[in-house]
Amino acid sequence: MEYIYKFIEFAEESGMINLIFWGAIIAYLIHIYYKKEENEKYLALKLVGFFILGGFRLEFAFNWYPIIIPAGFLLYWFLLKNKERPNSIIKKKATILGVLMLYSTILSNVIYDVAEYRDIKFDIKNISMDTLKEDYEKIKNELGLSLDTDILNFEVKYDNNKKIKLLDMYIEDKVNNKLVSIGIYNGDYSVKQSKISNKGQIVEHEFNTTTEELLETIDNIELKKYDKADIYTIKYENDLSYIENKKAYIVNSSNYLTDKLYPNSDIIKASGIMYIPMEKVSEGSWSNIDYKYYLTNYEIFSNEENYEDVEITIENINNNKRVLIDDIYDIYEKHKLMEELNSIHITRWNGESDVDLEPDLFIKDNDGNRLGLCSKDKGLARRDIGETSVWYIVPSDLYDKINIYTMK
């Protein structure tokens, strides 16, 4: 049966069906033309006109389902059929051919849709997180999906050996007018397809992520392993909101390294994945060990009240100037300063880990975050979080913007 479906797809997509179909119609019109009862001026054009009349239709949508009425054939049957005219027999045949063409096209489309949007099982063994991205590429190629499909919903559960236990992937291919659901059934990939029959079915999100981008992110970011974890869950959401800032990390799309967000900023909207390591408590009962958010897109909001409890220290070791911004009168300054830091795009340094520079301008907060800037190379900064230090590429004017506070 699968070979029949593939032949139907090939015949439709290659244009073979249209070629045969229209070839047969033209041949039949020529045939009945030579069966004319009497000579008539412009008869060939009139036969084509009656053929078009028979194929004319009116289409209405009812609860997303089209209702097709053969309006042209009904007009001929009730108003024109019994009218005296030359060559009435072959004109009637041309009209009937038109309506047959109409319903043959509808039937052909139905058969193609059955073949195109059928459920498929893929016999791919050893389904694991290590091969999920490659497996999706095989499925995408087999289904003929476009290069970039939008991910609508994603959830995967896997064990310590990275063997996938559950998969729920729901994607949208606007180019090919498809909604595709990919899961696992009896150890094989199970794919269900449906047609986007109405624009109302298309889901629009502010932060769209393609399936390829999501799988690339999951494949490349470093996810912490837990000794007590029995199963890991990764969920993707298009609209994360009001998540805990301290649990949120941003993903650098250029190298898939992750960094904590600056504190004291409210995440209004975001898209990304939620990572949940889980421990089995009893049969059928699980407990979360931890959870983290990895954001690929986000929008933050902060106001002056966010920084009331934040103490910010700026220190310039070149002039031994140290500025503490912590009292109520400096709330605006703290807000302005943190907004400046939150607005810049910081990229992790991919060069040598041992940078021969020493920061001389530091900005620190009471949560243990410290950013060290260098007057000798203003495009580099060192971020210290606890015992961890990482070099970053920063805007070259950041040093001067921070240093202004030690010059007041």
Side-chain angles (χ1 to χ4, degrees):
M1 193 65 180
E2 188 65 23
Y3 292 107
I4 296 175
Y5 284 139
K6 287 183 179 294
F7 176 76
I8 293 172
E9 288 179 341
F10 169 76
E12 178 71 26
E13 293 168 4
S14 65
M16 182 189 299
I17 291 179
N18 283 336
L19 184 63
I20 295 172
F21 190 69
W22 284 104
I25 287 174
I26 293 171
Y28 185 75
L29 287 174
I30 293 173
H31 171 72
I32 62 174
Y33 173 81
Y34 285 108
K35 293 289 185 178
K36 58 182 179 287
E37 302 145 37
E38 57 185 286
N39 291 326
E40 183 179 352
K41 195 174 182 179
Y42 306 121
L43 178 58
L45 291 177
K46 291 177 180 178
L47 288 178
V48 172
F50 276 94
F51 167 76
I52 294 173
L53 177 65
F56 179 73
R57 68 181 185 180
L58 293 177
E59 185 172 336
F60 302 94
F62 179 74
N63 291 336
W64 295 359
Y65 294 100
I67 298 175
I68 298 172
I69 299 174
F73 182 76
L74 293 176
L75 176 66
Y76 168 81
W77 191 261
F78 290 106
L79 297 179
L80 304 177
K81 182 185 68 168
N82 297 320
K83 185 177 179 180
E84 290 292 333
R85 59 168 50 86
N87 296 301
S88 60
I89 295 176
I90 63 173
K91 290 174 181 175
K92 177 181 178 182
K93 289 180 178 180
T95 308
I96 293 174
L97 179 64
V99 76
L100 288 176
M101 179 277 298
L102 169 62
Y103 283 104
S104 295
T105 302
I106 295 171
L107 180 61
S108 174
N109 290 338
V110 170
I111 293 173
Y112 175 71
D113 284 350
V114 170
E116 175 70 7
Y117 300 100
R118 69 190 185 278
D119 296 345
I120 304 176
K121 286 186 179 180
F122 289 85
D123 185 16
I124 301 176
K125 300 303 180 185
N126 301 318
I127 298 174
S128 77
M129 293 299 295
D130 289 333
T131 60
L132 179 59
K133 185 177 68 172
E134 289 76 14
D135 292 345
Y136 171 72
E137 288 298 319
K138 293 177 184 177
I139 293 171
K140 180 177 75 172
N141 293 335
E142 181 69 21
L143 300 181
L145 300 179
S146 62
L147 294 176
D148 295 313
T149 60
D150 290 332
I151 190 78
L152 301 182
N153 185 65
F154 178 90
E155 180 177 356
V156 63
K157 294 181 184 292
Y158 60 95
D159 61 20
N160 283 304
N161 296 319
K162 292 193 173 182
K163 184 176 181 180
I164 296 177
K165 300 295 185 180
L166 178 146
L167 177 66
D168 182 12
M169 187 188 305
Y170 194 47
I171 62 180
E172 179 182 67
D173 185 352
K174 295 176 184 175
V175 175
N176 291 298
N177 212 39
K178 282 185 178 183
L179 294 172
V180 180
S181 173
I182 303 174
I184 295 176
Y185 181 73
N186 287 341
D188 297 324
Y189 284 105
S190 176
V191 178
K192 296 183 181 297
Q193 304 178 86
S194 61
K195 187 176 184 179
I196 304 176
S197 57
N198 187 282
K199 289 184 179 180
Q201 289 181 272
I202 296 177
V203 181
E204 298 291 347
H205 294 283
E206 183 175 358
F207 298 134
N208 283 327
T209 299
T210 67
T211 311
E212 291 77 9
E213 289 170 343
L214 175 66
L215 295 180
E216 193 74 29
T217 299
I218 293 173
D219 197 50
N220 284 283
I221 63 174
E222 185 176 345
L223 299 173
K224 182 181 176 181
K225 301 298 181 183
Y226 293 78
D227 293 336
K228 293 183 178 180
D230 298 298
I231 204 89
Y232 297 87
T233 297
I234 296 177
K235 293 182 178 181
Y236 170 79
E237 292 187 38
N238 272 309
D239 189 14
L240 292 166
S241 58
Y242 305 107
I243 63 178
E244 289 186 49
N245 186 285
K246 292 182 180 180
K247 293 289 186 178
Y249 296 76
I250 54 175
V251 179
N252 189 323
S253 60
S254 64
N255 52 26
Y256 298 102
L257 296 173
T258 59
D259 296 301
K260 282 186 176 181
L261 285 175
Y262 278 103
N264 304 95
S265 295
D266 295 328
I267 300 171
I268 304 304
K269 295 178 182 178
S271 67
I273 64 171
M274 185 178 184
Y275 178 60
I276 314 169
M278 305 177 75
E279 178 185 11
K280 188 174 183 179
V281 179
S282 60
E283 192 62 36
S285 179
W286 300 82
S287 175
N288 294 352
I289 298 174
D290 195 7
Y291 63 93
K292 293 178 181 178
Y293 299 94
Y294 294 92
L295 310 181
T296 51
N297 288 291
Y298 64 93
E299 177 185 333
I300 62 173
F301 171 78
S302 58
N303 54 49
E304 295 175 14
E305 286 73 21
N306 285 90
Y307 305 110
E308 286 185 3
D309 298 326
V310 176
E311 293 182 1
I312 299 175
T313 303
I314 300 174
E315 182 178 8
N316 188 329
I317 63 175
N318 289 328
N319 59 14
N320 294 319
K321 187 71 177 289
R322 186 173 183 271
V323 178
L324 178 65
I325 306 176
D326 67 338
D327 59 43
I328 191 67
Y329 301 105
D330 289 325
I331 288 178
Y332 173 73
E333 286 296 325
K334 285 189 286 187
H335 174 256
K336 186 172 69 172
L337 185 59
M338 292 304 292
E339 284 291 281
E340 178 66 39
L341 290 173
N342 281 329
S343 66
I344 65 174
H345 179 66
I346 299 179
T347 304
R348 187 175 292 204
W349 170 249
N350 289 325
E352 296 295 329
S353 58
D354 186 17
V355 179
D356 188 20
L357 285 173
E358 282 296 329
D360 51 64
L361 179 66
F362 295 92
I363 177 169
K364 300 178 283 187
D365 65 27
N366 53 338
D367 283 334
N369 297 289
R370 186 170 78 157
L371 188 69
L373 304 167
C374 307
S375 59
K376 291 184 178 180
D377 190 338
K378 296 180 180 180
L380 288 177
R382 191 182 72 199
R383 187 178 182 189
D384 304 318
I385 305 176
E387 300 296 324
T388 304
S389 295
V390 181
W391 283 95
Y392 290 87
I393 300 171
V394 298
S396 58
D397 62 346
L398 182 62
Y399 184 97
D400 294 329
K401 287 181 178 180
I402 301 301
N403 197 33
I404 287 175
Y405 291 91
T406 68
M407 300 172 63
K408 291 181 179 180

